[in-house]
Amino acid sequence: MKRIISIALIIILALTLAAVSFSSCGIINKVKNAVSYPDAYSITYEITTAEGLIHAITKTVDANGNIYFKGMDGEKLYINSNGTYTFYEKNDLGVFAAVEGVKYTREAVEKELSLFESYAKQTTNKFIPTARKTGTKSMVGRTADVYKIGVNLLAVSFFHYYYVDKATGVCLGVEAVNTVFGNETKANEESFVCVEYVTENIENLADKIVK
């Protein structure tokens, strides 16, 4: 039984890799071409690793272009001044303090926060084999397009579900599902879901700094 499943999964992987090889020929359509963030927003993802560890990351951008990020390694604050960002992190007293001599451009900030971007732009400019839109779903007060991606092979199937915000292109979640002889289980790999997407009444992030 295990050998049959292993062989089936190997064949599925081979088919997927073969489909990817055609992407440069334009045979496979892109799920979403671009992400267009609102002027101000706060987005939080809950991430479940393959090992079962659950953690969250949050990125907030206010109307002044200030940026806040919270992840497993703590909180970061980037205060905008004409396109140059001063970096703040929490000191031993638990308050934000500027890190002397450290300045960023907007591009450098985004590079620092590439972890968040890897989730938000999960489907951006990617050719995804076998993708098909299956409908829409309401998530965190927003409408997401649902894409089902995968392969059926005999008694085994392997699918990913991608949830993409219809208005902005931000990926709101990805989950993987395996089906063996009609029994559906979540795949043993990383998944994530957006648990907050706020675009109104975003606080002035400069207020996080104690004067």
Side-chain angles (χ1 to χ4, degrees):
M1 174 65 179
K2 289 183 178 179
R3 184 178 180 183
I4 293 174
I5 295 174
S6 297
I7 293 173
L9 291 176
I10 290 171
I11 295 173
I12 290 170
L13 178 60
L15 290 172
T16 300
L17 291 175
V20 172
S21 69
F22 291 121
S23 65
S24 61
C25 301
I27 295 175
I28 302 168
N29 292 326
K30 297 176 184 178
V31 168
K32 205 72 178 180
N33 287 322
V35 165
S36 178
Y37 291 114
D39 291 336
Y41 62 90
S42 183
I43 296 175
T44 298
Y45 289 112
E46 186 176 272
I47 300 148
T48 303
T49 68
E51 296 75 28
L53 173 65
I54 300 174
H55 64 99
I57 61 172
T58 298
K59 180 183 177 184
T60 304
V61 178
D62 69 16
N64 298 312
N66 301 316
I67 301 171
Y68 167 82
F69 179 80
K70 183 178 181 180
M72 292 186 70
D73 59 347
E75 299 174 74
K76 301 176 181 180
L77 185 63
Y78 304 85
I79 299 300
N80 179 33
S81 177
N82 298 318
T84 299
Y85 289 78
T86 301
F87 175 52
Y88 290 76
E89 60 183 358
K90 286 195 170 179
N91 59 22
D92 294 339
L93 299 177
V95 298
F96 280 108
V99 178
E100 293 296 330
V102 179
K103 302 282 186 180
Y104 287 89
T105 62
R106 180 62 180 258
E107 291 75 18
V109 173
E110 297 300 340
K111 187 175 181 179
E112 282 280 301
L113 305 183
S114 59
L115 175 64
F116 174 88
E117 298 298 320
S118 71
Y119 293 109
K121 297 181 178 179
Q122 185 80 198
T123 58
T124 303
N125 286 327
K126 291 183 179 178
F127 290 99
I128 302 181
T130 74
R132 69 180 187 274
K133 184 179 175 182
T134 62
T136 60
K137 180 179 180 179
S138 179
M139 300 177 67
V140 291
R142 304 183 68 83
T143 300
D145 288 326
V146 181
Y147 294 89
K148 187 177 182 180
I149 299 161
V151 178
N152 277 316
L153 186 64
L154 300 177
V156 179
S157 65
F158 179 77
F159 289 101
H160 282 87
Y161 290 92
Y162 287 75
Y163 306 98
V164 183
D165 184 57
K166 183 181 286 291
T168 63
V170 172
C171 189
L172 300 182
V174 175
E175 61 178 343
V177 176
N178 293 335
T179 302
V180 180
F181 294 107
N183 297 313
E184 185 175 289
T185 59
K186 286 195 172 183
N188 186 30
E189 61 180 80
E190 183 180 85
S191 63
F192 69 93
V193 62
C194 179
V195 294
E196 182 181 67
Y197 194 144
V198 179
T199 60
E200 297 179 353
N201 301 318
I202 303 298
E203 67 172 320
N204 182 353
L205 295 173
D207 291 342
K208 288 183 175 292
I209 303 170
V210 178
K211 305 298 183 181

